[in-house]
Structure formats: C-alpha cells, structure tokens
Amino acid sequence: MRWLAVRLDLISIALITMVTLLIVLMHGQIPPAYAGLAISYAVQLTGLFQFTIRLLVESEARFTSVERISHYIKNLECEGIRHIPDSAPALSWPQEGGIQFKDVEMRYRDNLPLVLKKLSFSIKPQEKIGIVGRTGSGKSSLGMTLFRLVELAGGSITIDGINIAQIGLEDLRRKLSIIPQEPVLFIGTVRVNLDPSSQYSDAQIWEALEKTHMKASIAQLPERLDSEVLENGENFSVGERQLLCVARALLRSSKILLLDEATAAIDMETDGLIQETISESFCHCTTLVIAHRLNTVLSCDRIMVLDQGQVVEFDAPSALLSDENSRFCAMVNAAEGGTNKTVDGFAEQ
C-alpha cells in the first residue's frame, strides 16, 4: 500500500507539472480564473486518485472471499446425513457402551496414505482405556473416526452392536462426549455454555459444577450462572475453562467419553482435580483417554500403544510393565530418567 501511494503521488505530480507547463506556455490565451481552477483541480486529483485506486483494490480483495465461498459451496463434500429415520437407534442407546473396531482404515483425503491401518480391537462396557503413542501414531485420528469427523476408508465401528456408519451424525454425536485438549467456551453465559439446549435444571447444573470443583468460583460471580463468558472464555483461566468443559460433559451423562489429552495444557493441581472428577463421576462410562502424562493412564483398566496407525500393545498396565521388552515399559523407564516429559516424548525415546 505504501509503494502504491508513492507511485500514485508520482503520477499526480506529473499531471500537475503538465497542467502548470501548459498554462505557462499558453500564457495570454487562457483566462487567469480558468488557469487557477485547472491547477486547483490538478492538486485535488492527488487525494481522489489514491482513494479511487485503493477502493478498487479493496473491492477486488473482498470479492476474492466471495469467489472462495462460492468454490467451497460447489466443490466441498458435505458431511453425512444428520438424521436417518429408518435406522435411528433407540433413545436409550447406547445402554452399555461397548465399542468394537474391526479392520478400521482411515485416510484424511483421497490419494493420501492410510493413517489407521486394519485397526481391530474390542472395548468392554465401562472400561477405561488409555491410548498412548508417539506423535503421528494415530491417537487423535482414532477419536475422529469415533465421531465420524472423517469417514472410514474401510472396516467398521460398532457401539453396542450398531454400526455407527449406518446412523445419522446427530444421532451418533449427541450420545458421545469429548473433553478436548483446548477447552472450548462460547460467547454467552455460563448457563448457555454448560447447557446449550436448555435440557437441565439449575439444580443439575450446580451439581455438575460442584463435582468439578467449580461451584465456589461460579457462585462468587455477580450474576452466577447468568454471568457473561467472553469469546473463547478469556475471563476464565485455562484450568477453569477445562473444568467447565468437564462439567458440560458430566451433564450430558453419555455412556462413552473421550479425553483427547484433556490435561496437557494445565497445571498438576488442576490435572489432579480433573482426574478425581473423571474417576468418581464417569465410573459408569466407557472412557477413552488419549494420554499426555503417564500418570493419567496408569490407573486405566487397559493401555493401548499405537504406532504408525496400528495397535502394537493392548493389555493391562501391570502386564505391560512386567514385560521388559514392551514399549510401554520403555516409556515408563524413560519417564523415570527425566522430568516433565510427555508421553509423546517417551515414545520417541
């Protein structure tokens, strides 16, 4: 923009110079009033010229956005159908929360290599599974297939005997809960963030806040549940935002809960509060814990170790630790030799 302004000024100076030279050369032929008017208009042309050109450039840039949106509308593939009446599961589904992966394959786009390769395993109802592995091993991709954020390239996933690919996305996702690594809060009130669809009473919301150790903090706010939440929850700390996300998941009472490195960005004290809440309040759920710290998976019923999109180990923590050649045992040994390292770092070592 600066360079454009310089070039436009040079053009304007050339026009002013030309006008003044013509007036001098045609001395006596042009009335003085007309000569002054011509010079005045030439000087005003400098600002008008810059404004007009900048307006054209900005308009072109704005219409680039319109062109991009039009391209997305015409070319991007839509997600699956939100609701399929003929294959809609019962309102009480899933009753137990058993999950089975059978030869699951997934890639993010056509012609890209597979991220998950022939993944097969079964998770029992109310079982707590820890998922570990180095960066790029497929931990988060496994969660994306469960929520059908990316459709499978092969295989099937069943929950309580129902293939999730054969039901609507809304029917599936409203039955699952996730506590993400980055806590997500929206502009609105505390009540709207915890209960967007207004399904629960104030007593239930306060109970969820009490279980997540956030009741005292919200009670101190001037308007309590109706207190304002800024964009991205900027008026709350990262730990408080994560606890509010746990309270939101707690209200949904889902049979299946996914924790995608939920405590990676918070301090150890808040991590302990979240782990305590999960162990007490989600004991009747099937829980998948994508681990960032080893202490978050040592209490799991079984631990799954992923490598390059495949299950290399899947057993109880005691069984994996007793095997000196297991990869999980190597992670624990690496943890004992360092401080404040993540599971990803252990796996790489």
Side-chain angles (χ1 to χ4, degrees):
M1 293 297 292
R2 296 291 184 185
W3 179 229
L4 176 63
V6 169
R7 288 184 291 173
L8 293 177
D9 283 342
L10 291 175
I11 294 174
S12 301
I13 290 170
L15 289 174
I16 294 171
T17 304
M18 186 181 301
V19 170
T20 52
L21 284 175
L22 288 174
I23 291 173
V24 171
L25 294 175
M26 300 176 67
H27 180 65
Q29 301 179 16
I30 301 177
Y34 288 173
L37 186 63
I39 294 175
S40 176
Y41 279 168
V43 172
Q44 291 179 12
L45 185 64
T46 304
L48 184 62
F49 199 28
Q50 285 197 19
F51 174 76
T52 305
I53 296 299
R54 286 182 180 178
L55 190 62
L56 290 172
V57 171
E58 290 180 4
S59 298
E60 184 178 1
R62 296 276 196 272
F63 274 94
T64 302
S65 302
V66 176
E67 181 183 8
R68 191 169 298 159
I69 292 173
S70 175
H71 172 76
Y72 290 161
I73 292 173
K74 295 176 180 178
N75 296 283
L76 282 186
E77 294 183 6
C78 296
E79 283 192 315
I81 301 173
R82 308 293 298 175
H83 181 68
I84 305 175
D86 296 337
S87 60
L91 294 177
S92 58
W93 176 85
Q95 295 178 337
E96 298 180 349
I99 305 172
Q100 184 174 12
F101 279 60
K102 184 177 180 181
D103 296 331
V104 170
E105 295 181 334
M106 188 271 276
R107 55 168 56 92
Y108 284 102
R109 285 200 307 272
D110 294 337
N111 303 321
L112 287 182
L114 290 171
V115 179
L116 300 179
K117 308 167 185 175
K118 297 290 183 181
L119 212 59
S120 296
F121 59 86
S122 295
I123 299 175
K124 301 175 183 177
Q126 301 181 14
E127 196 172 19
K128 187 176 180 181
I129 303 297
I131 304 173
V132 300
R134 64 180 300 171
T135 302
S137 61
K139 304 187 299 295
S140 296
S141 300
L142 188 148
M144 295 179 72
T145 59
L146 194 61
F147 281 82
R148 286 182 59 190
L149 296 176
V150 180
E151 296 293 346
L152 299 182
S156 64
I157 302 174
T158 58
I159 298 177
D160 282 359
I162 294 180
N163 190 339
I164 64 172
Q166 298 175 356
I167 62 176
L169 289 179
E170 186 176 350
D171 298 328
L172 168 67
R173 292 173 182 172
R174 72 181 180 183
K175 297 295 184 177
L176 309 177
S177 292
I178 181 172
I179 303 176
Q181 179 177 352
E182 294 294 333
V184 179
L185 295 181
F186 307 98
I187 297 176
T189 64
V190 175
R191 186 194 308 275
V192 169
N193 274 274
L194 294 179
D195 182 20
S197 54
S198 302
Q199 295 180 348
Y200 307 100
S201 64
D202 286 5
Q204 291 174 304
I205 295 176
W206 281 115
E207 183 182 359
L209 289 172
E210 184 176 8
K211 289 181 178 179
T212 55
H213 309 280
M214 279 295 292
K215 183 177 180 179
S217 300
I218 300 301
Q220 292 175 358
L221 297 176
E223 299 180 17
R224 307 183 79 182
L225 290 179
D226 294 322
S227 298
E228 182 183 8
V229 177
L230 300 180
E231 185 176 3
N232 296 324
E234 294 296 335
N235 52 335
F236 292 94
S237 68
V238 176
E240 289 175 330
R241 278 180 260 168
Q242 195 64 279
L243 288 172
L244 287 174
C245 288
V246 175
R248 182 165 56 200
L250 189 59
L251 273 174
R252 291 169 59 90
S253 301
S254 300
K255 276 293 184 180
I256 297 176
L257 174 67
L258 174 66
L259 284 81
D260 188 0
E261 298 185 356
T263 59
I266 59 178
D267 58 273
M268 296 297 292
E269 182 179 354
T270 309
D271 185 5
L273 292 177
I274 291 177
Q275 297 303 327
E276 178 185 348
T277 302
I278 291 171
S279 61
E280 294 178 356
S281 304
F282 295 98
C283 58
H284 300 296
C285 301
T286 302
T287 308
L288 306 180
V289 183
I290 297 176
H292 184 78
R293 297 180 177 133
L294 276 179
N295 60 345
T296 62
V297 296
L298 291 177
S299 60
C300 293
D301 299 320
R302 287 191 291 169
I303 294 177
M304 179 188 301
V305 182
L306 294 178
D307 184 37
Q308 296 183 359
Q310 295 178 316
V311 178
V312 293
E313 293 175 354
F314 192 24
D315 208 339
S318 56
L320 294 177
L321 290 174
S322 62
D323 184 2
E324 296 181 355
N325 297 321
S326 71
R327 298 200 182 191
F328 185 72
C329 185
M331 294 180 190
V332 175
N333 293 334
E336 292 176 351
T339 58
N340 298 329
K341 293 183 179 180
T342 64
V343 170
D344 293 341
F346 302 148
E348 289 170 3
Q349 292 181 17

